[in-house]
Amino acid sequence: MKKKYCLIICAAVVFTLMVTYCCTIRVHAEETEPIKNGWVKEDGAWYWYQDGVMAAETVLKIDGAYYGFDANGRMYNNKDFFFYNDNEGHYNWYRAKEGGKLYVNEWYKKTENNGTDTPTVTWYYYGAEGKSAEGYVKVGNHYYCFSSSGIMADEGYYIGAGCRCFSIDQNGYATPLEAGWHKIYERDRYCLGDGYLVHNEAKQIDNNWYVFDSNGTLIKGQDFEIYDSETGESVWYRAKADGTLYVNSWYSVYNIDYKRTFWWYYGEEGKAANGLTLVDNVYYFFHPTGQMLIRTLFSESGKWYTVNNSGIVAPLEAGWNKIDDVYYYGKTDGTPAQSEALQIDNV
């Protein structure tokens, strides 16, 4: 009787375990979601999945068309967007149509009211893979110029990378400038040919020297600094009112506050003198910005010199040195007495 009772209890336990196991499997099966693939619409937005992985912050070609997805995986729809391209080192712009497909190898016209009676019309061209055109680009039988964000240049002039300048006609067709002088937006510029402007350098043109800024604008009536990457120093120039540089000549300005005249000397190629410089068989000393020093002492290559009120340099002599109405004392080691007490001539 006991054996029969035990068998009944064991059978009940086994049955209970089997039911529990089967229920557990069923529950787990119901909780496991299928792997997402393809287009999925969630909360009114479209997403794309490949083997359960959601596309995000990228452009993909899907069924022959290109689509863009933001950082959260939402498909871009009827809007502009951009991504940074690590390989190309710049941003690529795109435009999604209504429905998400990107403009590819086609024009896009944007019209904005901007609160005025005359709307603003902007043209873009999107090429392979939906990337906006940038720079000097041939579309069909004509060349156009586009900004880094894809905006086509309007009638006038366009200066792009490398300070290359183009003339733009009323249709937007771009032509590189020819060699020679050009007045662009009321500024004088000089083209070397094929649109390339002289920029950020001094240039000899027709026996005269000129200096141009980083945008190719001719500098007039002022001084101008250009950094020399080879020497690691800056070079200063001074342009006259007509743009020609002072070359092998002096330039002076009277300062009413200091009640004295300041001098600069510009030598070969219009470069301002810097440091100890020989001019017409006389030595002068100039600050790195080109200004001539007066009434002072300085050392150059381990030697000390005096400078008088006219800027003329002379070696520091042992003993007393009179510079105009100021006395300096040169010690026997060639250095000047400075901030120290000395016994001189038993005094």
Side-chain angles (χ1 to χ4, degrees):
M1 194 61 187
K2 288 184 179 180
K3 289 183 179 180
K4 187 175 181 181
Y5 181 71
C6 289
L7 288 174
I8 293 172
I9 292 175
C10 290
V13 170
V14 170
F15 177 78
T16 302
L17 291 173
M18 291 180 63
V19 170
T20 303
Y21 178 75
C22 292
C23 291
T24 302
I25 292 177
R26 183 178 179 184
V27 169
H28 284 179
E30 290 177 350
E31 290 179 350
T32 303
E33 295 183 2
I35 296 176
K36 294 180 180 179
N37 267 304
W39 289 106
V40 175
K41 190 173 185 179
E42 299 175 348
D43 299 326
W46 284 99
Y47 300 81
W48 174 263
Y49 288 86
Q50 183 70 40
D51 296 329
V53 179
M54 181 182 67
E57 205 167 7
T58 187
V59 170
L60 294 178
K61 188 176 183 180
I62 302 171
D63 297 330
Y66 286 90
Y67 299 84
F69 302 87
D70 67 16
N72 296 315
R74 295 169 63 96
M75 181 194 76
Y76 285 107
N77 185 54
N78 192 29
K79 68 181 303 182
D80 305 307
F81 64 95
F82 62 87
F83 293 127
Y84 185 77
N85 190 315
D86 291 321
N87 295 328
E88 299 176 4
H90 67 91
Y91 289 94
N92 291 133
W93 283 81
Y94 304 86
R95 173 75 194 184
K97 302 177 182 180
E98 185 68 41
K101 291 183 180 180
L102 301 188
Y103 283 84
V104 177
N105 296 323
E106 55 188 313
W107 288 94
Y108 170 67
K109 178 183 178 182
K110 179 185 286 187
T111 303
E112 297 176 295
N113 191 357
N114 296 325
T116 63
D117 295 333
T118 304
T120 301
V121 176
T122 309
W123 285 95
Y124 301 78
Y125 184 78
Y126 297 92
E129 301 178 359
K131 297 177 183 178
S132 65
E134 178 181 350
Y136 184 51
V137 179
K138 187 176 184 180
V139 180
N141 297 321
H142 301 283
Y143 282 91
Y144 303 83
C145 287
F146 299 87
S147 71
S148 58
S149 59
I151 300 173
M152 188 190 81
D154 292 328
E155 182 178 6
Y157 294 95
Y158 176 83
I159 300 177
C163 214
R164 193 181 186 193
C165 188
F166 303 86
S167 174
I168 313 297
D169 70 11
Q170 60 183 359
N171 296 311
Y173 302 158
T175 304
L177 290 188
E178 296 180 352
W181 287 102
H182 297 270
K183 189 173 284 293
I184 301 172
Y185 300 125
E186 304 303 319
R187 301 296 181 97
D188 291 317
R189 306 170 197 260
Y190 189 82
C191 181
L192 297 171
D194 198 28
Y196 288 99
L197 301 177
V198 179
H199 64 288
N200 204 38
E201 67 171 315
K203 185 77 173 176
Q204 187 177 29
I205 303 170
D206 299 331
N207 298 320
N208 287 313
W209 281 89
Y210 303 87
V211 67
F212 301 82
D213 69 13
S214 59
N215 295 315
T217 300
L218 175 67
I219 302 300
K220 294 182 178 181
Q222 67 180 71
D223 58 355
F224 189 77
E225 176 188 16
I226 292 181
Y227 178 75
D228 188 338
S229 59
E230 294 183 0
T231 63
E233 298 179 349
S234 293
V235 179
W236 285 85
Y237 303 86
R238 179 165 288 277
K240 302 175 184 178
D242 63 357
T244 58
L245 298 183
Y246 285 85
V247 177
N248 296 323
S249 56
W250 288 93
Y251 173 78
S252 64
V253 172
Y254 180 78
N255 188 299
I256 192 170
D257 294 326
Y258 290 93
K259 296 181 180 179
R260 76 175 184 87
T261 300
F262 290 86
W263 290 87
W264 291 259
Y265 184 79
Y266 297 92
E268 297 295 329
E269 302 179 2
K271 296 179 180 179
N274 181 4
L276 188 61
T277 305
L278 184 65
V279 181
D280 297 330
N281 297 319
V282 177
Y283 277 101
Y284 302 87
F285 191 78
F286 298 87
H287 187 272
T289 60
Q291 181 181 314
M292 184 186 76
L293 300 185
I294 63 170
R295 297 169 62 91
T296 189
L297 292 171
F298 72 91
S299 64
E300 180 81 2
S301 301
K303 296 182 180 180
W304 282 87
Y305 300 86
T306 64
V307 185
N308 68 13
N309 197 47
S310 298
I312 298 174
V313 172
L316 178 68
E317 302 289 346
W320 289 107
N321 293 256
K322 183 180 180 181
I323 304 175
D324 299 317
D325 57 347
V326 179
Y327 285 89
Y328 296 91
Y329 189 81
K331 298 188 292 186
T332 55
D333 63 358
T335 62
Q338 294 177 312
S339 302
E340 59 184 302
L342 291 177
Q343 184 178 19
I344 302 173
D345 299 332
N346 297 321
V347 177

